[in-house]
C-alpha cells in the first residue's frame, strides 16, 4: 500500500474529535492535510485516490453519527482509499456510531482498515470526562497511530473492502435530537462569533440572541466559543441532565481500538 498523503477529516464542534484525529494522523510518516467539515457553508466534492489515506472522525450524538456530519461525509469520494474511523463520545456509550460511520464510508468508496472509539469530555455536561482526551488517552492514540503506520506498510493491494469488524447493530438506534435550548444572557456583545461558528446556521445573522431551535443540534460550539460567556443552558436543566447521566457515566471508559 503505497501511501503518499494522509488527510485528517473531522466534524468537531467542540474540538475533541479534531484532537483525537490529529493525534493519530500525526504519527504517520506521510504528507499531512486537513479537512474540517464543521463550519456551515457550501462545499465542493472531495476526491481521494488509492495512494492516499484518510482519518475520519465524528462525535457521537445519541449513539449515532450526527445527521449533519453524515450529510457532509457524502461529499467525500474514495477510490479504494484507506480509511481509519474515529468516534468520540462523552463517556457513556458509542453504540451504533462506528458501524454507521463504516457503512457511510463504504458507500462513498473508502476501504475501512481500522477504527477507534475515544472517550472525550461530554459536550453538554463538561464535568463528565472533564479534560479528556487526557494524558493517558493521548499516549494511547499516538501508539495506535504508530501501529497504523506499520499496518499500512504491511497491507497488500488485495485487502478486501469491508473486512473491518466494529461494534454496532442494525437497525440503528433511534435518535431524535436533544430537547435542550441555549439561552443568551445580558453579557452578549453581539460580536457575531456564534453566528460565524454555528455548524448549522441556527443563529440569526442579524440578532445573535435569536436561535432557531428546530435547526440547532445542541453541539455546544457557540457556548464554548462565546468570548463573553453569554450563551448557556439553564442551570437547573443542566443539573437535571447531569443527574440523569451520573450513573451511566460514572465509571471511566477507556479508548477501544479495532485493527
Amino acid at each position: 500500500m503505497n501511501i503518499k498523503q494522509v488527510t485528517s477529516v473531522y466534524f468537531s464542534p467542540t474540538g475533541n474529535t479534531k484532537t483525537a484525529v490529529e493525534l493519530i494522523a500525526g504519527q504517520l510518516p506521510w504528507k499531512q492535510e486537513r479537512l474540517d467539515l464543521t463550519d456551515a457553508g457550501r462545499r465542493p466534492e472531495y476526491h481521494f485516490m488509492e495512494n492516499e489515506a484518510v482519518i475520519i472522525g465524528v462525535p457521537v450524538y445519541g449513539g449515532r453519527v450526527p445527521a449533519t456530519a453524515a450529510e457532509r461525509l457524502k461529499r467525500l469520494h474514495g477510490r479504494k482509499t484507506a480509511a481509519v474511523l474515529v468516534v468520540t463520545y462523552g463517556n457513556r456509550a458509542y453504540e451504533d456510531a462506528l458501524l454507521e460511520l463504516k457503512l457511510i464510508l463504504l458507500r462513498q468508496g473508502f476501504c475501512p482498515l481500522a477504527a477507534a472509539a475515544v472517550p472525550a469530555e461530554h459536550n453538554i455536561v463538561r464535568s463528565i470526562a472533564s479534560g479528556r482526551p487526557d494524558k493517558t488517552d493521548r499516549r494511547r492514540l499516538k501508539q495506535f497511530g504508530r501501529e497504523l503506520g506499520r499496518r499500512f506498510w504491511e497491507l497488500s493491494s488485495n485487502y478486501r473492502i469491508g473486512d473491518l469488524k466494529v461494534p454496532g447493530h442494525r437497525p440503528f438506534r433511534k435518535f431524535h435530537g436533544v430537547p435542550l435550548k441555549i439561552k443568551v444572557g445580558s453579557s452578549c456583545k453581539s460580536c457575531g462569533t456564534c453566528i460565524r461558528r454555528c455548524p448549522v446556521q441556527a443563529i440569526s445573522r442579524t440578532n445573535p440572541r435569536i436561535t432557531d431551535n428546530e435547526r440547532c443540534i445542541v453541539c455546544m460550539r457557540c457556548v464554548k466559543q462565546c468570548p463573553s460567556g453569554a450563551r448557556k443552558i439553564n442551570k437547573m436543566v443542566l443539573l437535571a441532565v447531569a443527574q440523569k447521566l451520573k450513573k451511566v457515566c460514572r465509571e471511566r471508559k477507556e479508548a477501544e481500538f479495532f485493527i
Side-chain angles (χ1 to χ4, degrees), residues 181-200:
K181 296 181 180 180
I182 295 170
K183 303 294 183 180
V184 183
S186 58
S187 61
C188 174
K189 296 179 171 57
S190 298
C191 68
T193 298
C194 58
I195 297 171
R196 293 189 298 272
R197 304 299 280 167
C198 177
V200 293

Side-chain angles (χ1 to χ4, degrees), residues 14-168:
T14 56
N16 291 323
T17 304
K18 175 179 183 289
T19 295
V21 168
E22 292 187 342
L23 282 167
I24 296 168
Q27 303 305 304
L28 300 174
W30 303 290
K31 179 184 176 183
Q32 302 275 327
E33 296 291 342
R34 294 179 178 84
L35 177 56
D36 190 344
L37 301 179
T38 314
D39 288 338
R42 299 184 65 181
R43 289 179 173 81
E45 303 287 323
Y46 300 96
H47 296 268
F48 300 89
M49 306 304 289
E50 282 188 79
N51 63 351
E52 296 183 67
V54 292
I55 317 291
I56 299 182
V58 299
V60 176
Y61 289 1
R64 300 285 303 278
V65 173
T68 302
E71 281 301 310
R72 293 176 188 178
L73 289 171
K74 292 177 182 178
R75 305 196 75 83
L76 276 57
H77 305 277
R79 187 177 292 181
K80 295 185 178 179
T81 307
V84 179
L85 290 54
V86 181
V87 298
T88 59
Y89 66 103
N91 204 56
R92 185 187 67 83
Y94 58 91
E95 290 161 312
D96 300 329
L98 264 184
L99 178 60
E100 184 178 10
L101 182 57
K102 173 190 170 181
L103 295 179
I104 290 171
L105 296 180
L106 282 171
R107 287 194 293 268
Q108 297 306 115
F110 293 90
C111 179
L113 299 184
V118 185
E121 183 174 280
H122 199 283
N123 69 321
I124 296 174
V125 185
R126 295 179 63 185
S127 60
I128 295 175
S130 179
R132 298 187 72 184
D134 58 18
K135 184 177 180 180
T136 299
D137 298 319
R138 290 169 183 264
R139 176 180 54 78
R140 296 192 67 207
L141 287 166
K142 289 180 179 180
Q143 182 180 353
F144 176 60
R146 290 190 292 271
E147 177 63 21
L148 282 176
R150 290 189 288 270
R151 289 284 289 159
F152 280 134
W153 285 114
E154 294 168 359
L155 286 172
S156 72
S157 59
N158 294 323
Y159 187 90
R160 298 195 308 276
I161 290 178
D163 277 357
L164 178 68
K165 300 294 189 297
V166 295

Side-chain angles (χ1 to χ4, degrees), residues 89 91-93 119 132 137 248-255:
Y89 66 103
N91 204 56
R92 185 187 67 83
R132 298 187 72 184
D137 298 319
V248 291
C249 297
R250 182 172 53 222
E251 293 184 9
R252 177 186 171 98
K253 307 292 198 308
E254 298 296 343

